Amino acid sequence: MTTTYALLLRGINVSGHRKLPMAELRDLLEGLGHGGVRTYLQSGNAVFTTGSDAAGDALAAGIGEAIEERFGFACDCLVRDHAYLAAVAEACPFPADELEGKQLHAVYYSEPVTADRFAAVDAGAFAPEDFALGDRVVYLHTPDGLGRSKLAEAVLRPSLNKGVVNTARNWNTVRKLVEMTAA
């Protein structure tokens, strides 16, 4: 059975660092035996199909190793299937249809997120910004965008995220990846 996945890369093509051209990423994924490879934007989003029995974490590890071998730098990778991506979008506790894409973000995690991890973050101190926990995701509502968000700084602080892979996508990208993996 063939499964369609989204690949989410963290921290590539930012300010001219860790350059990974999307055409080369497509070639790399095809070289690993994946089909139907498409990319979205330059920030490390790809969709592919595979008949492999490997689960998302195993696929992510293999892709991460291939990226390091080919491009010479380590790159955190998350691989998620359509069902997961659609469930994340559907479970959003914020009024996604009423917000601009830049005002709402999903921060995908490599493992479950718990209230204990974020207990030190007083969400009320950052109002009107807010966050909520989901299935391996943190939803961030940032009315002025992620780049100016003090709440995002607090939630994404390295000390709170030690030992896990996470990567953020704005809501436009969340929707697009759901759409792209549905085919």
Side-chain angles (χ1 to χ4, degrees):
M1 183 169 111
T2 300
T3 305
T4 303
Y5 290 99
L7 168 65
L8 309 170
L9 302 179
R10 183 174 190 273
I12 61 141
N13 299 333
V14 178
S15 302
H17 299 289
R18 296 170 29 115
K19 292 183 181 182
L20 200 161
M22 293 299 97
E24 292 184 38
L25 177 60
R26 288 190 297 272
D27 289 344
L28 179 134
L29 292 171
E30 289 169 354
L32 292 173
H34 303 305
V37 178
R38 296 172 286 154
T39 54
Y40 178 67
L41 303 175
Q42 296 297 313
S43 55
N45 304 293
V47 171
F48 63 92
T49 60
T50 187
S52 170
D53 291 335
D57 291 343
L59 289 168
I63 293 167
E65 290 171 10
I67 288 172
E68 186 167 9
E69 183 177 306
R70 181 162 176 184
F71 297 99
F73 58 81
C75 181
D76 290 333
C77 304
L78 294 176
V79 173
R80 299 291 185 254
D81 66 15
H82 171 74
Y84 171 81
L85 295 170
V88 164
E90 188 173 308
C92 181
F94 299 106
D97 291 339
E98 300 170 20
L99 300 171
E100 294 179 44
K102 71 175 186 170
Q103 295 177 308
L104 185 58
H105 291 76
V107 183
Y108 297 100
Y109 279 77
S110 58
E111 63 184 47
V113 292
T114 63
D116 290 347
R117 179 181 295 274
F118 300 99
V121 179
D122 176 12
F126 299 96
E129 296 182 341
D130 199 2
F131 77 104
L133 307 181
D135 175 19
R136 294 176 293 158
V137 67
V138 172
Y139 299 94
L140 282 173
H141 175 231
T142 58
D144 294 326
L146 196 65
R148 297 178 183 204
S149 172
K150 295 299 181 191
L151 177 61
E153 285 180 29
V155 169
L156 298 174
R157 190 170 54 233
S159 62
L160 294 183
N161 294 286
K162 192 172 187 171
V164 298
V165 173
N166 66 14
T167 186
R169 296 298 185 270
N170 73 34
W171 209 252
N172 293 333
T173 300
V174 169
R175 287 182 176 138
K176 186 65 175 180
L177 291 174
V178 169
E179 175 188 314
M180 290 175 73
T181 57

